[in-house]
Amino acid sequence: MPVPGTKVRVPAPRRRLVPRPRLLDDVRRGSPRLVLVSAPAGFGKTTMLTQWLTSDGIDVAAVAWLSLDTSDDDLRRFLTAVVAALRRVAPDLGAATLALMDSGRPAVVETLAAALVDDLDRLPGATVLALDDYHVVDDPGVHECVAYLLDHLPAGVTLAIATRADPPLPLPRLRVRDELVELRAADLRFTPPEAAEFLTGVMGLPLTDAHVAALGARTEGWAAGLQLAALTVHGQDDVDGFVDDFAGSHRFVLDYLVEEVLRRRPDDVRDFLLATSVLAQLTGPLCDALTGRDDGAATLETLDRDNVFVVPLDGRRTWYRYHHLFGEALRARLTAGSPDRVPSLHRAAARWHAAHGELTDAVGHAVAGGDAGLAADLVELGLPELRRNREDRTLRDWLRALPDEQVRARALLGTAAAWTRLSEGDLDGVDDRLDAAEAALARPAAAIDGDPARVAARADELRALPATVAIYRASVAQARGDVAGTLAHARSALDLAGPHDHLARGGAAGFLGLAAWADGDMATAVDTFSDAVRSLAAAGNLADELGATVVLAEMRRARGRPVQARHLLERALATARAHATPLTTTGDLHVALADVLREQDDLPAADEHLRAARELGEGASLLENRHRWFTTAAGLARARGDLDDALRLLDEAAPLYLPGFFPDIRPIASVRARVLIAAGRLDEARESLRERGIAVPDEPSHLAEFDQLTLVRLRLAEHRENGHLGDEVTDILDRIETDARRGHRDASIVEVRLLRALVHEAQGRGADADAELVAALGLGVPAGFARLFLDEGPPLAGLLDRAAAQSEHAAHLLPHTTSQVVDVLSARERDVLRLLATDLTGPEIARSLYVTVNTLRTHTKSIFTKLDVNTRRAAVRRAGERGLL
């Protein structure tokens, strides 16, 4: 039977192809006996071979190509087709082989193949015999013939095979001899740059980088998936919506996968694929639990060997997953054909995962299977471990997936749900959930079957539940600024907790420490919160223990000991890093250490820790700490003089702040007002403080202290504008210092004395100003404070100049102030400043800078504010002192 010419012709390459030198380099190396391109349907195997065989620079004299089909699944037909392909290279080649087949004698594979090898040996140059779609061949005689060819190929001949399934050929032997080049699905997947070139270059689609990235991720670089997406996106009005919705259930993708994969499988394999499509990950016993069979492991091995869109997840090939689009197509097919079967499959998966201790998967399948009771049981069993590891996001997601009636009916779940409301700032919702939980506590909790250790841990949680409820009520009181209520509920929790309820005792002691912090009693706060940390350690809650270090370090700083805070955080971070996987508080430790380093003016090191926290992601930070990254980054931006960026970062921090977890000692709005003051935007700062309703309280209040000290800074800035400074600033500072000494808050004392020095200077009392500043420096700099002084900017620079003669600490800080002023001044302001030092008049300066006189006045006023001067002569003198000219 003649062989059609289309079967033996190298397919013409498309006009435009994505260059893939990384793959071509692999197949060009050396002279392998076999180039094997093995991958599922639609991965571009044929295109890859044609790209290689028609590319410039290929070191091959001739190419014999054969596109196989089911008619070639016979030794005689196969060899006839191979000879036809080779005769396009050498017209007389294969005569002996054809003669042997026509002799009427039984075909002996070795004899036929040997004759073909003799002909191949006479070819003048390097030759490639390419067999495309080899997966259509099942005939053992064909496989034996090809194996013989591979063993006896002449040195100048290479066999290339493209197939959807690995052929039964001596591949291990060829690998050992380094005579095999393999390209598999992982190699053929389009990289992000290749996907971008295909979609926007080859297909000419006007897609954004985000569109390309999304489609590349959804298709996992599958060439056919990208092509189907590209064809479908043409004519779409809503490209964003299409990209978001593109999935395996899309009609074109579904039709392709059903036609090319499902219909080609036996009924038992097709049923296996559909039944197990509900699984995110597959292993033999789990698949057996869903199919009711015992061939799960063997079927997965077969699917893997046959390249049926399964991806091995471990080196032993025990666990697999389906290609995302293939899995979605299977689920769409299952849902359309057998919707009633889906819930039972999920429930079977839930029971298997639960029996094997894999609660995350078990909960998801129980919810998907509509078994709310089983899902709620599983959440209760998993809750102690989630709390111990502070996997707050997982707990919140689980609770949201449960029906509300299940949560309200169970005291343990209701209390956990109260925490989720707290994490979203819904204080009234916390009260509602706690009331429901206490009502449920009056009823006996139902028994739950499961792992004995988890059942026992649940029993411990139930026993400690009254104390837990009291702790959450303390949190609500703290969020509302009710120090007395916080103390009352925390003491109640301590009374309710048993001697071995370490987690409850740690929580209660923690809120007693936080209440003392809110009250300004730092000695008690540090001692009590240290007890809480020890209780958390006894409970085995490493994540919570290290996370509490963040708070303890803040308390140490408030006591005036930044160096101690740094050492505390460094030790905690070393412990966290030694853990096998990142803890949910590792990122928080990086951020806290970054803020201490910022205070010590080690800005590069602070940057490194912020970067490390960002790279770890949100999973390494507690929900209540998300704002800290932005406030710390804002502090660094301010330290570098980028006040606009500092304001932007603070605006991002504000909505992330969650009340109830810590006392609001440094309100973000007040921090923002300080940046506005530093930027000379006094009207905005005044409005910000007015909105907060800041007034001098009748009694000292630590919670109001930060606002009060911000108000003092505003009054000092106003004095620099209008020459007026009210008596209230002195009263504020005196009252805060008295209260700070009572509460052992050395940081507050340093800040008060620093500001008092600026007040004295504004009042013309230079000697008193010098004395206060020297005292502040002597207390603050050895303890580790630097930015506290440096962030005052130009107003403090002149004082530091004078103090340098009396204080080595002032001399230590002085070099930093010059670079800071340079950073604060814009490039245009530095241009104006240099011209102010000349004899040019204002209009002449304006003309030389090509600005209006009014614009020049704006720049000049800004320079005066930043240098803390009132005249041109004073500005030039201060600039000369600072080396700015």
Side-chain angles (χ1 to χ4, degrees):
M1 180 179 293
V3 178
T6 54
K7 287 172 61 74
V8 294
R9 189 177 299 123
V10 179
R14 296 173 182 172
R15 291 184 179 181
R16 291 200 63 185
L17 287 173
V18 176
R20 310 187 81 183
R22 62 184 180 87
L23 300 181
L24 295 177
D25 289 345
D26 284 341
V27 295
R28 284 169 178 162
R29 66 175 176 82
S31 299
R33 283 181 179 269
L34 175 63
V35 173
L36 178 66
V37 185
S38 179
F43 266 88
K45 301 179 292 295
T46 302
T47 301
M48 184 64 245
L49 281 184
T50 57
Q51 246 182 312
W52 165 44
L53 296 174
T54 59
S55 63
D56 294 333
I58 181 174
D59 189 20
V60 172
V63 175
W65 180 279
L66 175 59
S67 296
L68 296 165
D69 56 42
T70 53
S71 67
D72 300 309
D73 191 21
D74 171 86
L75 179 60
R76 288 178 178 273
R77 288 178 177 274
F78 174 77
L79 282 173
T80 300
V82 168
V83 169
L86 288 168
R87 284 187 167 181
R88 293 180 67 85
V89 173
D92 297 328
L93 191 146
T97 301
L98 293 178
L100 286 170
M101 289 193 294
D102 292 339
S103 66
R105 292 192 295 270
V108 178
V109 171
E110 184 174 329
T111 303
L112 296 172
L116 193 58
V117 168
D118 288 342
D119 283 346
L120 291 173
D121 194 29
R122 288 193 291 272
L123 290 173
T127 302
V128 173
L129 171 59
L131 304 177
D132 193 23
D133 288 337
Y134 190 83
H135 53 271
V136 301
V137 173
D138 287 323
D139 188 327
V142 174
H143 294 315
E144 184 182 349
C145 178
V146 174
Y148 183 93
L149 287 175
L150 281 171
D151 281 340
H152 299 87
L153 279 177
V157 180
T158 294
L159 181 63
I161 291 178
T163 176
R164 293 183 183 178
D166 278 8
L169 299 174
L171 302 181
R173 185 165 68 241
L174 292 171
R175 285 192 194 100
V176 170
R177 294 175 178 173
D178 197 25
E179 294 176 337
L180 171 64
V181 171
E182 298 174 87
L183 293 178
R184 298 189 172 274
D187 306 301
L188 295 173
R189 295 184 200 282
F190 276 50
T191 64
E194 289 170 347
E197 172 61 21
F198 175 76
L199 291 169
T200 62
V202 174
M203 301 301 291
L205 297 174
L207 300 178
T208 66
D209 290 345
H211 292 150
V212 170
L215 289 174
R218 297 291 296 120
T219 59
E220 298 185 67
W222 178 40
L226 286 168
Q227 173 111 12
L228 292 168
L231 292 173
T232 312
V233 80
H234 274 298
Q236 293 283 340
D237 294 329
D238 181 12
V239 176
D240 289 338
F242 168 79
V243 171
D244 289 342
D245 294 339
F246 185 73
S249 56
H250 192 278
R251 180 172 59 85
F252 288 171
V253 180
L254 183 58
D255 289 348
Y256 181 91
L257 291 172
V258 168
E259 181 65 34
E260 293 294 325
V261 182
L262 278 184
R263 288 182 184 169
R264 296 171 182 262
R265 303 293 138 194
D267 289 345
D268 61 330
V269 175
R270 189 158 55 242
D271 183 73
F272 178 93
L273 291 168
L274 293 171
T276 57
S277 65
V278 301
L279 301 172
Q281 297 184 359
L282 308 97
T283 191
L286 172 57
C287 293
D288 293 341
L290 272 65
T291 63
R293 294 156 35 180
D294 60 1
D295 62 346
T299 302
L300 287 172
E301 290 175 11
T302 300
L303 293 172
D304 183 23
R305 186 171 60 251
D306 291 348
N307 282 322
V308 186
F309 286 95
V310 294
V311 181
L313 299 177
D314 57 16
R316 295 179 299 168
R317 279 176 153 71
T318 302
W319 283 92
Y320 299 83
R321 69 168 174 84
Y322 290 126
H323 183 288
H324 293 320
L325 289 180
F326 184 57
E328 289 166 355
L330 290 175
R331 287 190 289 277
R333 188 78 168 175
L334 174 66
T335 303
S338 306
D340 296 338
R341 191 182 178 193
V342 176
S344 62
L345 290 170
H346 278 296
R347 289 194 290 270
R351 288 190 292 272
W352 189 91
H353 280 297
H356 289 78
E358 298 162 1
L359 292 189
T360 298
D361 291 315
V363 170
H365 282 294
V367 171
D371 195 336
L374 174 60
D377 287 349
L378 294 170
V379 173
E380 286 203 22
L381 290 176
L383 194 146
E385 184 177 348
L386 294 183
R387 289 188 63 198
R388 183 169 60 252
N389 295 331
R390 287 306 304 267
E391 296 181 50
D392 300 342
R393 290 172 176 82
T394 300
L395 176 57
R396 185 176 64 180
D397 292 343
W398 283 6
L399 290 169
R400 285 175 174 171
L402 295 177
D404 193 58
E405 58 269 19
Q406 285 285 344
V407 176
R408 287 188 174 275
R410 299 173 181 238
L412 200 56
L413 297 185
T415 306
W419 175 88
T420 67
R421 306 315 305 158
L422 186 66
S423 72
E424 294 172 7
D426 180 8
L427 302 184
D428 293 335
V430 178
D431 287 332
D432 175 61
R433 290 293 185 179
L434 291 178
D435 291 343
E438 287 186 315
L441 265 175
R443 302 185 295 272
I448 294 178
D449 294 328
D451 175 64
R454 284 197 162 104
V455 171
R458 171 184 179 257
D460 291 340
E461 288 279 336
L462 285 168
R463 187 181 64 253
L465 207 53
T468 304
V469 170
I471 289 170
Y472 287 163
R473 293 203 185 279
S475 184
V476 173
Q478 178 179 265
R480 290 174 171 150
D482 181 3
V483 176
T486 305
L487 286 168
H489 287 300
R491 287 169 181 152
S492 173
L494 208 53
D495 292 340
L496 290 167
H500 300 294
D501 292 336
H502 298 298
L503 184 58
R505 298 188 72 82
F511 274 102
L512 288 174
L514 294 175
W517 186 16
D519 196 42
D521 183 357
M522 296 316 302
T524 301
V526 169
D527 290 345
T528 310
F529 206 83
S530 297
D531 289 341
V533 174
R534 285 188 285 271
S535 291
L536 293 172
N541 283 40
L542 180 62
D544 258 336
E545 175 194 350
L546 297 180
T549 306
V550 171
V551 181
L552 195 56
E554 280 205 50
M555 292 178 173
R556 295 278 187 190
R557 287 174 64 181
R559 286 216 66 180
R561 294 163 175 77
V563 172
Q564 287 185 12
R566 175 176 178 170
H567 294 161
L568 188 68
L569 290 166
E570 287 173 339
R571 288 195 298 271
L573 193 53
T575 302
R577 283 170 165 167
H579 203 260
T581 56
L583 298 169
T584 53
T585 49
T586 304
D588 295 333
L589 291 169
H590 277 292
V591 173
L593 184 53
D595 199 41
V596 173
L597 291 166
R598 176 203 60 79
E599 177 55 53
Q600 294 182 329
D601 205 36
D602 190 348
L603 305 188
D607 279 331
E608 285 299 315
H609 284 284
L610 271 190
R611 190 175 300 113
R614 174 56 62 87
E615 289 172 356
L616 286 171
E618 284 194 354
S621 176
L622 300 180
L623 291 169
E624 60 265 32
N625 287 330
R626 289 177 301 170
H627 68 286
R628 293 178 185 270
W629 191 95
F630 294 95
T631 55
T632 302
L636 282 167
R638 180 180 179 180
R640 293 193 167 98
D642 192 346
L643 303 184
D644 287 339
D645 195 43
L647 292 170
R648 178 189 63 79
L649 288 161
L650 291 170
D651 288 341
E652 291 192 54
L656 299 177
Y657 175 76
L658 295 175
F661 291 91
F662 316 107
D664 198 6
I665 302 297
R666 294 170 55 88
I668 293 173
S670 198
V671 176
R672 190 176 189 280
R674 293 191 181 190
V675 178
L676 289 170
I677 293 168
R681 294 159 61 176
L682 302 190
D683 288 342
E684 294 174 68
R686 270 190 292 271
E687 181 59 27
S688 178
L689 296 182
R690 188 179 300 116
E691 289 176 358
R692 287 189 55 75
I694 293 177
V696 181
D698 295 333
E699 297 294 332
S701 167
H702 186 220
L703 290 175
E705 180 180 298
F706 195 87
D707 284 338
Q708 294 294 307
L709 294 176
T710 303
L711 181 61
V712 170
R713 287 176 168 85
L714 176 62
R715 296 292 181 254
L716 284 166
E718 290 171 337
H719 167 266
R720 288 191 286 273
E721 275 199 345
N722 58 34
H724 175 71
L725 184 65
D727 294 335
E728 64 175 339
V729 295
T730 301
D731 183 49
I732 290 172
L733 295 176
D734 290 344
R735 293 174 64 167
I736 290 176
E737 183 176 8
T738 299
D739 191 61
R741 292 189 183 280
R742 173 195 65 82
H744 305 281
R745 302 196 305 275
D746 285 2
S748 298
I749 295 170
V750 173
E751 188 172 1
V752 164
R753 302 201 74 167
L754 161 63
L755 291 174
R756 188 180 285 126
L758 292 172
V759 169
H760 288 329
E761 183 73 359
Q763 294 169 335
R765 298 161 56 188
D768 291 338
D770 293 346
E772 283 293 323
L773 181 58
V774 168
L777 292 166
L779 181 61
V781 174
F785 290 104
R787 292 308 323 173
L788 180 63
F789 296 94
L790 296 172
D791 282 348
E792 294 305 316
L796 191 66
L799 281 175
L800 282 173
D801 266 346
R802 296 205 307 262
Q806 308 172 52
S807 168
E808 60 178 328
H809 306 307
H812 169 74
L813 291 178
L814 199 54
H816 299 268
T817 62
T818 298
S819 61
Q820 181 173 333
V821 173
V822 173
D823 288 340
V824 170
L825 291 174
S826 69
R828 180 54 96 185
E829 287 168 350
R830 289 197 291 273
D831 291 339
V832 172
L833 182 59
R834 281 189 287 271
L835 292 176
L836 289 176
T838 69
D839 294 330
L840 294 176
T841 65
E844 289 171 337
I845 292 175
R847 282 195 298 273
S848 67
L849 294 174
Y850 301 100
V851 299
T852 66
V853 173
N854 283 337
T855 300
L856 176 66
R857 287 175 181 149
T858 300
H859 288 313
T860 303
K861 182 179 179 182
S862 178
I863 292 169
F864 288 0
T865 299
K866 292 177 179 180
L867 293 181
D868 192 29
V869 296
N870 296 310
T871 67
R872 175 175 176 173
R873 180 176 296 177
V876 172
R877 183 174 64 252
R878 181 65 53 81
E881 294 167 353
R882 293 278 171 263
L884 302 179
L885 299 176

